Amino acid sequence: MRETIWGFDLGTTSIGVAVVEYDAEKHEGEIIRMGVRIFPEGVTEKEMEPRNKRRRDKRLLRRQLRRRKQRRIQLSKVMAGVGLLPDYGSSEWESIMNTDPYQLRSEGINRKLTPFEIGRALYNLTQHRGFKITRKTVVDETKDGDEETG
């Protein structure tokens, strides 16, 4: 009984194909057709980085900026809902956002702030969230599990 066997080899820069007629009773086969298609790598020759890296990085940046803006708008709506900020886009909004949040935080030590001023100070804190290490220290773990800084 003769059967046709198709073989494919999918690589990162090539595709290979073979068609074999195989006789199971005689344990013999005959190659009917074979070939390979080679195409250039998807990396630049100088930097050896993917060709679409620049496009992908810019798309990632656009997504991050869009999401950050959406988070801030959503936060301002929630804070407006509880009375800590005026409605987003209103003239009161522009007025309170033009005040210096650091000055408000410093004045908050000596005087009672209005709800909008508290909201402005909190809004500023959410704009600068995250962690950034500012010191260069080496942390070694000892055998006891205690940490030493050096």
Side-chain angles (χ1 to χ4, degrees):
M1 176 178 172
R2 295 181 65 88
E3 60 182 300
T4 304
I5 300 172
W6 292 78
F8 296 98
D9 177 26
L10 304 174
T12 56
T13 59
S14 65
I15 298 175
V17 64
V19 181
V20 176
E21 284 283 331
Y22 181 71
D23 189 349
E25 295 170 357
K26 297 180 182 177
H27 299 291
E28 293 180 348
E30 176 185 358
I31 297 174
I32 304 299
R33 189 163 189 103
M34 66 179 178
V36 65
R37 178 77 61 180
I38 300 173
F39 38 90
E41 290 188 59
V43 296
T44 58
E45 289 146 11
K46 289 184 181 178
E47 295 91 19
M48 291 304 291
E49 66 181 20
R51 294 185 190 277
N52 69 340
K53 182 181 185 315
R54 201 171 111 214
R55 182 174 62 95
R56 186 178 61 222
D57 289 344
K58 291 196 180 283
R59 185 176 64 232
L60 176 65
L61 182 63
R62 286 192 308 269
R63 284 181 185 163
Q64 287 174 337
L65 292 174
R66 184 182 69 237
R67 288 173 182 160
R68 187 177 302 147
K69 182 178 179 182
Q70 282 303 114
R71 277 194 304 266
R72 282 191 300 225
I73 290 172
Q74 194 67 24
L75 174 67
S76 68
K77 288 179 181 178
V78 169
M79 291 178 86
V82 295
L84 288 177
L85 283 178
D87 289 331
Y88 178 76
S90 67
S91 61
E92 288 179 306
W93 167 266
E94 296 298 326
S95 171
I96 196 69
M97 286 299 149
N98 288 330
T99 59
D100 183 13
Y102 298 104
Q103 183 179 356
L104 289 174
R105 288 167 59 184
S106 133
E107 289 175 5
I109 296 171
N110 299 323
R111 72 172 176 91
K112 185 176 179 179
L113 298 177
T114 67
F116 286 173
E117 290 173 334
I118 293 171
R120 176 61 180 121
L122 290 174
Y123 188 84
N124 176 257
L125 289 173
T126 61
Q127 287 179 314
H128 299 283
R129 64 190 178 105
F131 175 75
K132 181 179 177 184
I133 191 160
T134 56
R135 62 187 173 113
K136 294 183 180 182
T137 60
V138 178
V139 176
D140 295 327
E141 289 190 25
T142 63
K143 292 179 184 176
D144 298 332
D146 297 328
E147 295 181 355
E148 295 177 357
T149 57

